[in-house]
Amino acid sequence: LTTSERGESIGLDIEQIRGNEAPFLQGMDEIVFRYDQEAKRKVVVARWLELSLTVLTLLVLALEARLIFAPVTRRIRHDMLVLEEKEEDMSHLFSASPTAMLMVDSKNLGIVEANQKAADLIGLPIEKIAGSTVSDYFDPAYDTSVRFLESLAKHASISDYEVVLLDTQL
């Protein structure tokens, strides 16, 4: 092809493109608008789904609070009050006991609480007894005291032991 033939061919091609440009652009506009409408519909559906899930989640949380957590909280509060009452009753019984009593932690044989009779027997104020260990008040020179402490540490029966207490007033 010569340059003039090529120029004429390009001119015809351009004319053909210009002739088809309006219908092509109209078709492209329809496609773009259709995709835009579909995208907007999907966004609206996604928003409704999001709102529905949020409302459902809040409803489930409200029902959990009402049906599960509120009764459990009331039950725990009630149990704590009952426990406090029983602890108070135990403390009254412990302090009113006619015999010397020590409340001992089984893990380390530490004295948690002592009644007045025990304080009188040991010869120390109750405040000084609490926090010490049982072994602080038994003479290790006596075999029965050692066996008593070993039985106490092993959670064995401790009845029928005759032990010797150290004189704490020295």
Side-chain angles (χ1 to χ4, degrees):
L1 293 173
T2 62
T3 310
S4 63
E5 289 176 350
R6 198 181 293 159
E8 285 178 25
S9 171
I10 291 175
L12 290 175
D13 290 341
I14 291 174
E15 285 299 318
Q16 186 177 5
I17 289 173
R18 283 191 179 154
N20 293 325
E21 182 179 18
F24 174 77
L25 290 177
Q26 186 178 1
M28 288 304 292
D29 282 347
E30 286 177 21
I31 292 171
V32 169
F33 287 126
R34 187 176 306 148
Y35 280 127
D36 182 53
Q37 288 173 347
E38 286 179 20
K40 285 179 182 176
R41 262 196 312 266
K42 287 181 181 180
V43 167
V44 167
V45 168
R47 283 187 181 155
W48 276 107
L49 274 171
E50 178 184 3
L51 181 64
S52 300
L53 285 174
T54 302
V55 167
L56 181 65
T57 302
L58 291 174
L59 180 64
V60 166
L61 288 174
L63 287 172
E64 280 182 351
R66 176 97 170 121
L67 300 174
I68 296 171
F69 297 127
V72 168
T73 303
R74 282 192 298 274
R75 177 63 186 209
I76 289 172
R77 207 174 278 134
H78 174 265
D79 290 348
M80 299 243 334
L81 289 173
V82 168
L83 183 63
E84 284 176 11
E85 290 172 5
K86 293 201 184 280
E87 189 173 319
E88 192 174 305
D89 290 345
M90 192 271 316
S91 180
H92 287 301
L93 287 171
F94 191 77
S95 63
S97 174
T99 60
M101 294 180 69
L102 297 174
M103 185 182 299
V104 178
D105 183 353
S106 64
K107 293 180 185 138
N108 61 5
L109 299 183
I111 298 173
V112 178
E113 192 174 341
N115 67 357
Q116 188 59 49
K117 293 283 186 181
D120 293 342
L121 179 67
I122 293 173
L124 291 174
I126 293 174
E127 300 80 31
K128 286 192 176 185
I129 296 172
S132 59
T133 62
V134 174
S135 59
D136 294 341
Y137 304 107
F138 291 97
D139 191 347
Y142 293 94
D143 189 42
T144 55
S145 295
V146 172
R147 282 187 309 195
F148 173 76
L149 292 172
E150 287 173 353
S151 295
L152 195 59
K154 292 177 186 175
H155 309 294
S157 173
I158 55 171
S159 61
D160 299 328
Y161 276 96
E162 193 171 305
V163 292
V164 177
L165 293 175
L166 293 172
D167 188 359
T168 58
Q169 296 180 1
L170 293 178

